[in-house]
């Protein structure tokens, strides 16, 4: 993991082309001291890194982000208030690329929707 101790995987299931992963964010991680003091917010770039890492686990190889589209940050994830996040990742293997549609949710709230295309390395 690039983000050491940033999150832990609680449960992960894979069914056909869908990967569903429950994680818990670490509200004490040093990233949150600078983003932002007294009101921690999970950085969008960290959410994209989590997507990359979970997809790499699934496909079994290193990936490089080629493109992100339809990026919609819809709610803030404060790790002190809502550390438990559900990530749903639907992927298509396109040979040397993997295209994934992702959502980050907590409770009934959608925090992020994004489609990412990765190149297999």
């Amino acid at each position: 993991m690039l983000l050491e101790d940033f999150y832990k995987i609680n449960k992960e299931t894979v069914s056909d082309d869908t990967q569903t992963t429950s994680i818990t964010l670490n509200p004490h991680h040093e990233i949150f001291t600078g983003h932002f003091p007294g009101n921690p917010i999970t950085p969008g770039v960290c959410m994209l890194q989590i997507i990359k890492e979970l997809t790499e686990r699934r496909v079994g190889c290193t990936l490089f982000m080629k493109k992100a589209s339809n990026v919609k940050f819809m709610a803030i994830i404060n790790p002190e208030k809502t550390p438990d996040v559900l990530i749903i990742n639907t992927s298509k293997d396109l040979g040397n690329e993997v295209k994934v549609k992702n959502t980050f949710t907590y409770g009934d709230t959608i925090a992020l929707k994004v489609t990412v295309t990765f190149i297999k390395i």
Side-chain angles (χ1 to χ4, degrees):
M1 276 195 249
L2 179 64
L3 301 170
E4 189 69 32
D5 197 36
F6 186 70
Y7 67 97
K8 71 174 184 171
I9 296 173
N10 300 315
K11 183 178 178 184
E12 186 170 58
T13 60
V14 177
S15 173
D16 296 323
D17 61 349
T18 302
Q19 176 182 16
T20 304
T21 309
S22 168
I23 68 168
T24 299
L25 298 170
N26 175 5
H28 305 292
H29 193 277
E30 64 184 315
I31 280 179
F32 296 116
T33 60
H35 203 267
F36 293 96
N39 187 27
I41 295 171
T42 305
V45 68
C46 293
M47 289 188 260
L48 293 172
Q49 180 65 29
I50 292 168
I51 290 168
K52 178 182 178 284
E53 291 176 2
L54 295 178
T55 305
E56 286 175 334
R57 284 171 49 96
R58 178 160 183 199
V59 300
C61 68
T62 303
L63 300 172
F64 177 81
M65 184 184 295
K66 176 182 177 181
K67 178 173 96 171
S69 59
N70 300 318
V71 182
K72 298 178 184 167
F73 291 99
M74 303 168 77
I76 291 171
I77 301 175
N78 180 327
E80 292 177 349
K81 296 178 182 174
T82 53
D84 297 318
V85 178
L86 184 67
I87 302 158
I88 300 173
N89 172 320
T90 304
S91 63
K92 286 186 182 182
D93 192 324
L94 305 170
N96 66 337
E97 294 183 349
V98 179
K99 185 174 185 175
V100 293
K101 291 183 180 181
N102 300 273
T103 59
F104 271 63
T105 61
Y106 55 90
D108 293 331
T109 302
I110 298 172
L112 170 64
K113 286 184 177 183
V114 63
T115 301
V116 182
T117 302
F118 294 106
I119 297 172
K120 295 179 182 177
I121 298 176

